[in-house]
Amino acid sequence: MVILCVYGTYAQKDNALSADLQTEESNKSDDNRFEVSKQLDIFNALVKEMEMFYVDTVDVRKTMRRGIDAMLKGLDPYTEYVPEDEIEQLKFITTGEYGGIGAVIRYREGGTVIAEPYEGMPAALAGLKAGDAIVAIDTIDTSGLPSDKVSELLKGVPNTKVTVKVRRPGEKKLLKFDIIRKQVIVNQVPHYGVYGDKTGYICLTGFSDKSAQEVKNAFEDLKKNHQIESFILDLRDNGGGVLEGAVQIVNLFVPKGKEVLSMKGKVSRWDRTYRTYNEPLDTVMPMVVLINGTSASASEIVAGALQDLDRAALVGQRSFGKGLVQTTRNLPYDGKLKVTTNKYYIPSGRCIQQIDYAHRSADGSVAAIPDSLTSVFYTENGRPVRDGAGIRPDFEVEEERMPTMLYYLYADRDYILFDYITEWANRHKTIPSLEEFYYPDEDYESFKKYMIEKNFEYDRQSEKALNALKEIARFEGYMEDDTVLFAALEEKLKPDPARDLERYGKEIKRLISSEIVKRYYYQRGEVRQNLKDDRTLQKALDVLKDKELYRKTLNPLPDRNGGNGGFVSESKHQ
């Protein structure tokens, strides 16, 4: 009776407080609705006045798009307006499929070139190669057309024919290809195989609604036909994709009924908890997940859930830190709004969102949440993990610093590296197998001469910093006394392509080798080539080889009965 009385008293107070809060929220909602109506009236009038009275003709569509993009960008980078003519790209992200010839294209110097044909797809089967400049599609001259328009012409209903004319480097005549379009399916698992001592490896590059099936097929093949005893899932440089795909992949390796993530947002009826709902493939095989700074979103759900459930050890670098979920909403005229509606929380209860877009500084900038303001959560076995800054690996491998020169070679805005690889491939009709291929030192010597002849330029941050320092020294009156020192430092930091091509030769040759292999063995070849000298992969193999280290990593605390696992801290789910 006493307990019931006390409970009733608190319940009455809670009900009264709840009623007050509901009234306050209702008032805020009414104020917001009025403000929305008011601002829309102002905006509608402003657009009409501008269109009628501005001194020059206004492209209303472009002007409105700029305004919409700026408005949404002020919220976060992931909330976007998708007009009708861009819906196909959104579908491609979610399904990994489209109707077309199966090639990546790029715009350059007034035209569009084939950058990468997909293996086994119509473009590659017909004989199109990277470097081919597209000059006509059917009867349409594509010279000067932007690449998005060229892409529209190449895409189409499967089993329809498209005629493509190209100018190939080294060929005098235009080449003509009659290609039958098909449903292009971009594989999310470009490579899997066995490394080390019976360790399976799967590279997953994205998350579509078919990615889980691809991982399942690869894992089953490795387990059945290669008798693997441990397993590595590589999520490096995987920017994410479909959330359900992430849940399904976690489900492959943890028992049925486990919580993978929960979503919480402004609209409570959209809150949802995702659990594993199928029987898994394997819950005991030692497993490592590879991550880095560009592993984001769905990748972080997989890596974070497997870490929180103590199912896998993580190796690499801290992940990107995207803990936000986007939902698509229908708009008039067949457009869509991709809008951030929720934050997600992985099994330990943590949200790994790194940047707080809701709280901006006076100039509108945002900053990452400092480590000092993050909180500790706990995995199933009681291991401490933190929120607010991506997923931290259990074994961190220091990322190799990319010199400025190498960054500009990767970006290759002037197509200098691309053209060199094209010329190299034209001279070498075939190359050895992936296991035997290497890029000769004598070819690198010719590459260095090629780069000098092309006047390859790159921005040097040290030179920028020195110029800024000189300005400060001049302002503060130090330049007169230290001109000799500054002159010596300036001479030392003067750009010298020949010197830097020699200094960073190892890194540049690795990049060239990867690009060459991709021309012959496509994306799977590129992945395999990059794994030849991969310190993160080697660390993962070392962790799996050391069974005691692996066990202690996932089960560091004794349980209450004196065992090695099963202890769950009371601090879980803060």
Side-chain angles (χ1 to χ4, degrees):
M1 290 291 292
V2 172
I3 294 175
L4 286 175
C5 185
V6 172
Y7 177 82
T9 302
Y10 275 97
Q12 290 169 6
K13 289 182 179 179
D14 284 345
N15 289 338
L17 178 60
S18 176
D20 290 342
L21 289 173
Q22 287 177 1
T23 301
E24 183 179 345
E25 286 298 320
S26 178
N27 291 337
K28 286 182 180 178
S29 180
D30 289 342
D31 289 344
N32 271 344
R33 289 194 186 98
F34 170 74
E35 194 61 33
V36 168
S37 180
K38 172 185 173 182
Q39 295 302 327
L40 286 175
D41 283 344
I42 294 171
F43 189 75
N44 187 45
L46 188 150
V47 172
K48 288 181 178 179
E49 295 291 317
M50 174 192 66
E51 196 278 329
M52 285 192 294
F53 299 115
Y54 185 71
V55 62
D56 293 320
T57 301
V58 175
D59 187 326
V60 176
R61 186 173 181 272
K62 287 185 178 179
T63 303
M64 291 294 290
R65 182 63 190 269
R66 284 198 304 269
I68 290 170
D69 290 345
M71 175 180 67
L72 299 181
K73 188 178 180 181
L75 300 175
D76 64 51
Y78 316 112
T79 297
E80 298 176 293
Y81 166 56
V82 185
E84 181 185 9
D85 57 3
E86 296 176 18
I87 292 296
E88 284 300 316
Q89 181 61 25
L90 184 63
K91 289 180 181 177
F92 173 65
I93 292 171
T94 57
T95 65
E97 297 182 7
Y98 67 94
I101 67 169
V104 178
I105 60 175
R106 289 172 64 183
Y107 182 81
R108 67 170 294 181
E109 300 168 0
T112 298
V113 298
I114 301 290
E116 179 186 354
Y118 292 138
E119 184 174 12
M121 291 295 110
L125 295 174
L128 284 173
K129 296 181 178 181
D132 289 348
I134 301 173
V135 297
I137 298 174
D138 291 328
T139 59
I140 300 173
D141 184 350
T142 59
S143 303
L145 284 181
S147 57
D148 59 336
K149 296 299 181 184
V150 175
S151 178
E152 288 178 16
L153 294 170
L154 291 174
K155 291 177 181 177
V157 178
N159 298 319
T160 58
K161 188 179 82 169
V162 60
T163 300
V164 181
K165 290 183 181 179
V166 303
R167 180 178 292 106
R168 177 167 293 171
E171 300 279 351
K172 294 181 179 180
K173 295 182 179 180
L174 295 180
L175 303 180
K176 177 182 173 182
F177 298 88
D178 291 327
I179 305 172
I180 303 299
R181 298 183 181 97
K182 66 179 289 187
Q183 192 72 10
V184 177
I185 303 174
V186 179
N187 292 330
Q188 307 297 323
V189 176
H191 168 62
Y192 70 91
V194 180
Y195 290 80
D197 186 14
K198 291 190 176 181
T199 297
Y201 167 91
I202 296 178
C203 174
L204 181 66
T205 58
F207 288 83
S208 70
D209 56 7
K210 297 175 181 62
S211 56
Q213 188 62 47
E214 290 188 49
V215 172
K216 179 182 179 181
N217 293 343
F219 183 80
E220 287 180 330
D221 180 45
L222 290 169
K223 193 174 180 179
K224 179 180 179 181
N225 298 317
H226 301 275
Q227 291 77 48
I228 61 170
E229 297 175 358
S230 56
F231 169 57
I232 296 171
L233 178 63
D234 193 345
L235 299 179
R236 291 175 296 175
D237 303 319
N238 184 325
V242 178
L243 183 149
E244 285 79 5
V247 176
Q248 291 165 7
I249 288 174
V250 174
N251 196 166
L252 298 176
F253 305 107
V254 301
K256 183 178 179 180
K258 288 285 187 179
E259 180 179 322
V260 178
L261 80 154
S262 59
M263 300 193 317
K264 297 177 183 178
K266 180 190 290 185
V267 183
S268 59
R269 67 176 180 273
W270 290 351
D271 293 351
R272 184 176 175 184
T273 297
Y274 289 83
R275 297 180 181 276
T276 54
Y277 52 86
N278 290 324
E279 292 299 329
L281 291 180
D282 190 296
T283 61
V284 296
M285 183 182 291
M287 180 177 179
V288 164
V289 177
L290 308 185
I291 58 172
N292 64 5
T294 51
S295 303
S297 191
S299 292
E300 294 175 294
I301 292 173
V302 172
L306 292 174
Q307 185 181 55
D308 283 359
L309 297 171
D310 297 300
R311 177 62 184 90
L314 272 53
V315 175
Q317 298 89 40
R318 182 189 293 189
S319 66
F320 182 80
K322 180 178 182 286
L324 305 176
V325 179
Q326 286 70 50
T327 305
T328 57
R329 304 287 297 166
N330 293 329
L331 294 174
Y333 300 99
D334 297 321
K336 288 186 182 293
L337 173 65
K338 183 162 72 74
V339 58
T340 300
T341 52
N342 303 83
K343 290 182 179 179
Y344 70 78
Y345 301 81
I346 48 181
S348 63
R350 55 180 169 148
C351 177
I352 51 89
Q353 175 63 25
Q354 179 164 269
I355 296 177
D356 184 2
Y357 294 104
H359 298 91
R360 296 174 179 264
S361 58
D363 63 357
S365 61
V366 293
I369 299 171
D371 287 349
S372 59
L373 295 181
T374 60
S375 301
V376 176
F377 292 75
Y378 294 88
T379 70
E380 274 201 352
N381 290 342
R383 296 188 294 147
V385 289
R386 304 191 76 92
D387 68 351
I391 306 292
R392 294 172 175 84
D394 302 299
F395 298 92
E396 187 155 359
V397 179
E398 185 177 355
E399 193 167 18
E400 293 184 42
R401 292 187 177 182
M402 184 185 293
T404 304
M405 170 178 267
L406 201 62
Y407 170 80
Y408 276 81
L409 278 172
Y410 266 108
D412 199 21
R413 294 185 180 93
D414 296 323
Y415 284 83
I416 294 177
L417 177 62
F418 184 86
D419 289 343
Y420 170 80
I421 302 297
T422 299
E423 291 179 15
W424 195 97
N426 285 341
R427 295 195 306 271
H428 300 78
K429 300 305 179 185
T430 61
I431 63 172
S433 67
L434 285 166
E435 290 75 20
E436 298 175 350
F437 172 77
Y438 72 94
Y439 177 62
D441 290 339
E442 56 268 27
D443 283 7
Y444 186 63
E445 291 302 316
S446 65
F447 173 76
K448 290 192 289 186
K449 294 177 182 177
Y450 173 87
M451 296 294 281
I452 300 300
E453 291 171 359
K454 293 292 183 179
N455 296 316
F456 175 66
E457 295 182 354
Y458 53 101
D459 213 358
R460 292 179 58 89
Q461 298 302 312
S462 55
E463 186 179 21
K464 282 186 174 182
L466 177 60
N467 290 334
L469 180 61
K470 285 167 64 178
E471 287 299 316
I472 295 171
R474 186 177 290 110
F475 177 76
E476 295 183 348
Y478 294 116
M479 279 296 288
E480 293 181 6
D481 299 329
D482 295 321
T483 52
V484 175
L485 179 63
F486 275 107
L489 188 57
E490 189 171 22
E491 181 63 28
K492 189 173 183 179
L493 295 178
K494 186 179 294 183
D496 187 345
R499 177 193 62 199
D500 288 346
L501 284 165
E502 185 65 35
R503 176 181 293 174
Y504 304 119
K506 180 182 177 182
E507 294 86 351
I508 296 171
K509 281 190 280 188
R510 187 185 303 160
L511 171 61
I512 293 173
S513 298
S514 174
E515 291 298 317
I516 287 175
V517 164
K518 185 162 64 173
R519 297 293 179 100
Y520 299 88
Y521 295 105
Y522 303 95
Q523 194 178 7
R524 63 182 171 88
E526 180 185 22
V527 174
R528 289 178 62 185
Q529 180 67 25
N530 289 334
L531 290 175
K532 286 182 179 179
D533 186 22
D534 191 322
R535 295 187 299 121
T536 303
L537 174 63
Q538 187 56 53
K539 180 63 178 179
L541 293 170
D542 292 343
V543 170
L544 289 168
K545 187 176 181 180
D546 190 335
K547 293 180 173 57
E548 183 62 15
L549 172 63
Y550 179 83
R551 186 191 65 77
K552 285 183 176 179
T553 300
L554 300 184
N555 297 278
L557 300 176
D559 64 25
R560 291 168 182 171
N561 297 317
N564 288 320
F567 174 78
V568 181
S569 167
E570 277 89 356
S571 298
K572 186 186 175 189
H573 295 296
Q574 294 182 36

